[in-house]
Amino acid sequence: MHRETLMALELLAAVTIVAAVARRAGLPYATALVVTGLGLGYSGLLPPVKLDAEWMLGLFLPILLFEAAINTNASHLRDDRVPVGLLASAGVFVSAAFTAAGVAWALALPWQLALLMGVMFSITDTVAVLAVFRSLKVPARLATIMEGESLFNDGVTLVLFKLVLAVVLTGAFHPGGTLLELGVVSFGGMTVGMLAGLAATWALRAAPDHLSEIALTVLLALSTYHGAEWLHVSGVIAVVVAGLVVGNHAWKRALAPSSQIAMGSFWEFAAFGVNSLVFLLVGLNIPLQSLWQRAPEIAWCTLAIVVGRAVAVYGGFSTLRLLRTRPVPASWQHAMVWGNMKGSLTMVLALSLPSSVPQRDLVVTVTVGVVLVSLLLQGLSLGAFIRWLRISGVSALQRRFEECQLQLIRARAAQTEVGALVEAGILSRSAYERLKARYQVIVAQSERELRRLGTENQLYMDEALAHIQQRVLQVEKAAVLSAMRQGLVSEQIGLESLQAINARLVAAEQAHARADTDGGLLPDVGPFSEEAARRDAELAAQRGQAGK
C-alpha cells in the first residue's frame, strides 16, 4: 500500500508541476505531459505504470464526456447541428474509409484489420485543441463545431469500433445487419441518456445541498454509461445526451446559483485531473525502441490520417455549400484538418484489443506512435498554424483597447509608488508634484480614450465589463464569507448579501459566455431562492468553527 500511495503522490506532483510550467510557457499541457511521461519512463525515475483499458473506458471516459457535455451550450450546438452532425456521422465513415486504404497499403494488412485501425484513427481528441483555441481566442463558432463533433464522434466511433472488431474476430460481415445494429445502438443510447438526464433533473430538485448534487451527477455519469452498456446500447452516446440534458435543463431549473458554481468547479477539476493523469500515463507507456523500428510505417499512417480527415472535412463542407447552409470559412476547415489530433482514447482502444486479433503487436505499436506524433507535431504547431491562417489574433480594436488599459494600469501603479516614496521621505514634495502631474496627464488621456472606445464599441465593452464583474463579485463574496466567519455581521444580513451576490455572479458568468459568442448584453437579474444563500452561510459557519 505504501508503494502505491507513493506512486500516486509522485504522479500528482508531476501533473501539477508540468501543467503549471506548460501554462506559463504557452504549450499544450497534453503534449507537455506526454513528453514528461516519456522522459520519466526512459530515465527510470518512475517505474512503468500500466494503462488499464477497462479503467479508462469504464471510469475515465464517462467523466470526460459528461464534463464536456454539461459545459456545451445546446443552443449554440443547435445552430450548428448540420456541420456537427455531418462531421460526426458521414465524416467518420469517410475518414475511416480513406485512412483504412492508406493503412492497408502502408502496413500490408487485410482490409478488416485496416478498417479497424481507420476507425480508431477517426476519433477526434479536442482537449489540447480547445486549450489552444482558448489561448488564441479563435471564433467561438469554430470551437463549438469542433467540440460538438468530438462529443458525438466518440459515440459513433466506439460503436463502429465494436462492430468492426467483431468482423475481425469472426470474419463475417453483413452490411445490412451492421448498419441496422449501428442505428439501434445509437438510438438506444440517446433514449437511455435522455431518460437518465430527466430523472437526474428531478433528483437534483430534491437534493438537500450542493454536495449531494455533485454526488448525484457523478452517479449519473457512471451509471448511465454502464447501464447503457448493460443494455447493449451506446454508453458514450447515453452519457453525452444525459450531460446535455443536465447542463442545459437541470442546470438552470434545479440548481441554485451557489450550487452551479460548486458543480462547475468540481467537474472542471475532475476533467483536468483525469486528462492530466491519462496523458502522463500515455507517455509512461510508450515503448520508444519499438516505435523507432516502426518509424516509416508510423509516418505513412499519419499521412493517411491527414488525407482521410481532409477528404471528410473539405468534401463535407463542399456538400453543405451546395445545399446553401450557413457557410464555414476555408481557413476554419484548414484548422479542423490540422487540429484533428489523436489522444488517449485512440491509444486505449488499441490497448484494449484482445490477444486473438491478428498482428496485434503491430497495430498497438503503430497506433501508439501515431498518437505520439500527433501530440508532438500537431500539438506544438497548431497555434502557429492558426495564427498563420489569421483565424485568431488581436483585432485592431482589441489592441487599442488593451494598450490604453495597460497605459492606465502603468500610470496608476507609478502614482502609487511615487506617493509611497514621498511618504517615506525618499522623494521631495516638489519632485512628487511634478511626477504626479505628469502621470495624471497620462491617466486622464487613457481614461478619455477608453470612454471613447467603449461608447463607439458597446458590445466589446460589455464583454470586458462582464469579465471584470465576475472578478469583482468573487472578491465581494469572499469578503462577506470572511465577515460571517469572524462574527462581524449577523446571519440574516450575511444571507441577504450572499443571496444577491450569488445571483449576480451566475448572471455575470452567463453574460460573459454570451458576450464571447454573440456579444450579448449584461442581463438584469433578480435574487434567487433564500435556500441557496443559507447553504453558503452554513458552509461559512462550519469553516469558521473548524478554524477556531
Side-chain angles (χ1 to χ4, degrees):
M1 178 61 72
H2 176 72
R3 180 184 178 187
E4 287 77 6
T5 302
L6 184 60
M7 174 67 68
L9 291 175
E10 291 173 342
L11 291 174
L12 181 60
V15 164
T16 304
I17 295 171
V18 173
V21 172
R23 181 178 291 274
R24 286 188 174 275
L27 298 173
Y29 85 94
T31 304
L33 285 166
V34 170
V35 173
T36 302
L38 280 170
L40 292 174
Y42 185 76
S43 64
L45 293 176
L46 280 180
V49 182
K50 183 179 179 181
L51 190 60
D52 194 295
E54 292 186 5
W55 272 84
M56 277 290 304
L57 294 175
L59 178 61
F60 291 169
L61 181 59
I63 290 176
L64 295 176
L65 291 172
F66 189 80
E67 188 274 338
I70 61 174
N71 287 295
T72 298
N73 190 312
S75 61
H76 296 158
L77 194 61
R78 193 182 305 116
D79 293 339
D80 287 300
R81 60 187 180 277
V82 175
V84 168
L86 180 69
L87 290 173
S89 56
V92 170
F93 289 95
V94 172
S95 177
F98 277 86
T99 302
V103 168
W105 177 82
L107 303 181
L109 294 177
W111 70 268
Q112 300 98 322
L113 198 55
L115 184 58
L116 182 66
M117 295 185 69
V119 170
M120 289 192 297
F121 291 149
S122 297
I123 296 174
T124 58
D125 194 325
T126 59
V127 173
V129 177
L130 291 178
V132 173
F133 281 5
R134 282 191 292 269
S135 65
L136 297 178
K137 296 183 178 180
V138 303
R141 186 184 173 218
L142 172 58
T144 297
I145 292 174
M146 290 205 67
E147 189 171 14
E149 178 203 358
S150 177
L151 276 176
F152 294 99
N153 169 288
D154 290 346
V156 174
T157 306
L158 283 172
V159 173
L160 276 178
F161 172 79
K162 293 179 180 179
L163 296 177
V164 178
L165 179 59
V167 173
V168 171
L169 295 176
T170 63
F173 177 61
H174 306 287
T178 300
L179 291 176
L180 178 61
E181 185 177 356
L182 176 63
V184 170
V185 169
S186 301
F187 181 76
M190 287 188 286
T191 304
V192 170
M194 180 66 69
L195 294 175
L198 293 176
T201 302
W202 174 83
L204 287 170
R205 287 196 180 100
D209 52 48
H210 68 277
L211 296 177
S212 301
E213 292 164 346
I214 292 173
L216 273 172
T217 56
V218 175
L219 178 63
L220 171 66
L222 298 178
S223 62
T224 299
Y225 177 85
H226 290 285
E229 291 292 317
W230 180 73
L231 294 172
H232 302 290
V233 296
S234 175
V236 172
I237 294 177
V239 170
V240 168
V241 172
L244 288 172
V245 172
V246 170
N248 293 272
H249 182 66
W251 195 271
K252 297 178 181 178
R253 300 189 180 187
L255 298 180
S258 55
S259 296
Q260 294 179 26
I261 296 169
M263 186 87 70
S265 299
F266 168 80
W267 279 104
E268 182 181 9
F269 172 76
F272 169 77
V274 168
N275 269 313
S276 301
L277 182 61
V278 168
F279 282 116
L280 184 62
L281 291 178
V282 165
L284 286 170
N285 281 270
I286 291 178
L288 289 177
Q289 184 175 359
S290 55
L291 292 184
W292 181 255
Q293 296 172 352
R294 293 291 183 181
E297 292 92 336
I298 292 171
W300 280 113
C301 288
T302 301
L303 179 60
I305 292 170
V306 174
V307 172
R309 175 67 172 179
V311 173
V313 171
Y314 297 137
F317 284 110
S318 297
T319 303
L320 293 182
R321 188 164 57 248
L322 295 176
L323 298 176
R324 300 183 181 277
T325 58
R326 187 180 177 187
V328 173
S331 59
W332 292 17
Q333 298 176 39
H334 303 332
M336 291 179 192
V337 171
W338 193 243
N340 180 38
M341 294 171 58
K342 307 305 162 193
S344 55
L345 184 54
T346 300
M347 183 171 172
V348 168
L349 289 182
L351 294 174
S352 69
L353 292 174
S355 57
S356 56
V357 171
Q359 304 187 61
R360 181 184 183 278
D361 291 341
L362 172 63
V363 172
V364 171
T365 301
V366 172
T367 301
V368 171
V370 166
V371 171
L372 178 62
V373 170
S374 175
L375 289 171
L376 293 178
L377 179 61
Q378 293 166 277
L380 295 177
S381 64
L382 181 60
F385 184 64
I386 289 176
R387 283 189 290 268
W388 179 74
L389 292 173
R390 297 184 178 179
I391 296 175
S392 66
V394 181
S395 64
L397 168 63
Q398 184 179 354
R399 176 177 293 278
R400 182 58 183 154
F401 189 92
E402 291 184 0
E403 286 175 349
C404 291
Q405 194 171 40
L406 185 58
Q407 192 175 45
L408 178 60
I409 292 171
R410 289 166 51 193
R412 289 290 192 192
Q415 283 185 325
T416 301
E417 180 63 19
V418 168
L421 291 174
V422 73
E423 289 295 330
I426 300 175
L427 188 66
S428 66
R429 178 63 61 176
S430 59
Y432 164 72
E433 295 295 341
R434 289 197 303 272
L435 289 173
K436 180 183 177 182
R438 180 186 305 171
Y439 285 116
Q440 188 58 40
V441 171
I442 298 174
V443 168
Q445 291 174 344
S446 301
E447 290 180 339
R448 185 166 55 251
E449 181 65 9
L450 286 171
R451 282 196 300 271
R452 184 188 69 80
L453 291 172
T455 302
E456 295 178 358
N457 305 276
Q458 187 61 42
L459 295 180
Y460 185 84
M461 180 61 73
D462 287 334
E463 180 180 357
L465 288 176
H467 177 72
I468 293 172
Q469 188 178 16
Q470 286 179 265
R471 181 174 177 176
V472 172
L473 287 172
Q474 290 285 8
V475 174
E476 288 187 31
K477 183 174 180 179
V480 173
L481 291 172
S482 176
M484 294 178 69
R485 284 195 298 268
Q486 298 176 47
L488 300 177
V489 296
S490 65
E491 182 177 340
Q492 180 181 358
I493 300 301
L495 283 172
E496 294 173 357
S497 297
L498 287 173
Q499 179 178 338
I501 292 172
N502 276 324
R504 289 166 57 202
L505 185 58
V506 171
E509 290 175 348
Q510 294 172 349
H512 189 204
R514 285 197 299 272
D516 187 46
T517 54
D518 55 15
L521 300 179
L522 289 173
D524 182 16
V525 179
F528 66 100
S529 67
E530 185 178 355
E531 179 61 27
R534 187 176 301 279
R535 295 173 193 167
D536 286 331
E538 291 173 354
L539 180 59
Q542 293 170 4
R543 289 176 177 171
Q545 293 174 0
K548 295 177 182 178

